[in-house]
Amino acid sequence: MTITITAFERSPDRGRGLARDMRVRWALEEAGQPYEVRLVSFEAMKQSAHLARQPFGQIPTYEGDLTLFESGAIVLHIAERHGVLLPADAIGRARAIAWMFAALNTVEPPIFDHSLARILERDQPWYEQRLHALEGSIRKRLGSLAARLGDADWLDGAFSAGDLLMVTVLLRLKSTTILDDYPSLAAYVARAEARPAYQRAFAAQLAVFQAASAG
Ligand code: GTB
């Protein structure tokens, strides 16, 4: 079975590993699964062939044993199908999945809004106020997350799909100084980035940007 995922032909993050195909690449690397990548332009993403895979015209998608969209669902599928990134026992599994939801539903929204504001809302008269409010929301989440992590390496036992998603969310803060105030979280992110599977995934998505820049 060949696994094919989609990614930006030209990622606006310039190969910094922030686009959401990175989660899927990383999970596949953790699972030791080879994969192919279909690069799509912004235009192609909105056309029927891609919309059949992703109803909202976005990346990433997954094709293999089934066609799937939503990065969290794809990571969960990879974890379940290949028996990685989730504890074997039902209770441990449920707890790891709770961290996946926490990453995407509780921690990511203010971080995503903050980075979007920094790109799109700079010229608005209320920009500074909005940024301040969003930063407050982010700090509230990071404070809680750091308290729960304590001095553990990972959120709940062994490295899981919950950690994978949480780290991809926190990486979005790298263009700010916010994480500097949460050294245990900065160390958590660094620990995850040091994983060979992360490094292979990062190198693969960076190579796409470098090839597009050279061409
Ligand atoms: N909930 C969906 C999922 O998790 O799969 C969200 C998918 C999504 O937001 N995809 C984005 C996309 O396709 C790319 S990752 N956008 C094009 C569109 O909507 O038309 C989001 C992203 C984009 C850019 C950066 N960056 O430049 O740093 C980071 C993340």
Side-chain angles (χ1 to χ4, degrees), residues 110 113-114 126-140:
D113 288 349
H114 186 264
W126 36 260
Y127 173 67
E128 291 300 336
Q129 260 173 302
R130 166 128 171 101
L131 211 63
H132 183 73
L134 286 170
E135 192 171 321
S137 305
I138 293 172
R139 287 182 179 280
K140 197 169 153 197

Side-chain angles (χ1 to χ4, degrees), residues 39-197:
L39 299 176
V40 287
S41 63
F42 278 94
E43 197 186 10
M45 268 187 257
K46 308 304 173 198
Q47 289 169 1
S48 57
H50 189 75
L51 288 171
R53 291 185 284 268
Q54 217 289 5
F56 306 106
Q58 297 184 309
I59 60 100
T61 58
Y62 168 103
E63 291 156 83
D65 47 324
L66 82 170
T67 300
L68 206 52
F69 65 102
E70 281 297 328
S71 58
I74 297 171
V75 169
L76 179 58
H77 177 67
I78 293 167
E80 287 184 324
R81 185 150 207 285
H82 301 288
V84 291
L85 297 171
L86 288 175
D89 66 294
I91 289 177
R93 229 177 74 83
R95 290 164 65 117
I97 292 171
W99 280 115
M100 297 178 72
F101 278 86
L104 303 182
N105 285 353
T106 305
V107 181
E108 184 166 49
I111 294 178
F112 184 80
D113 288 349
H114 186 264
S115 57
L116 217 57
R118 292 174 76 216
I119 298 167
L120 300 177
E121 295 170 359
R122 271 183 189 280
D123 297 337
Q124 300 298 334
W126 36 260
Y127 173 67
E128 291 300 336
Q129 260 173 302
R130 166 128 171 101
L131 211 63
H132 183 73
L134 286 170
E135 192 171 321
S137 305
I138 293 172
R139 287 182 179 280
K140 197 169 153 197
R141 295 303 185 219
L142 297 188
S144 305
L145 190 63
R148 176 53 75 98
L149 181 65
D151 57 9
D153 278 356
W154 308 117
L155 287 167
D156 195 347
F159 179 81
S160 78
D163 294 297
L164 186 153
L165 290 179
M166 191 64 80
V167 168
T168 61
V169 166
L170 297 179
L171 279 166
R172 197 104 195 232
L173 291 172
K174 267 201 164 177
S175 57
T176 75
T177 56
I178 298 175
L179 265 188
D180 297 350
D181 296 333
Y182 303 86
S184 66
L185 295 182
Y188 168 65
V189 169
R191 227 170 358 258
E193 285 179 297
R195 292 177 73 84

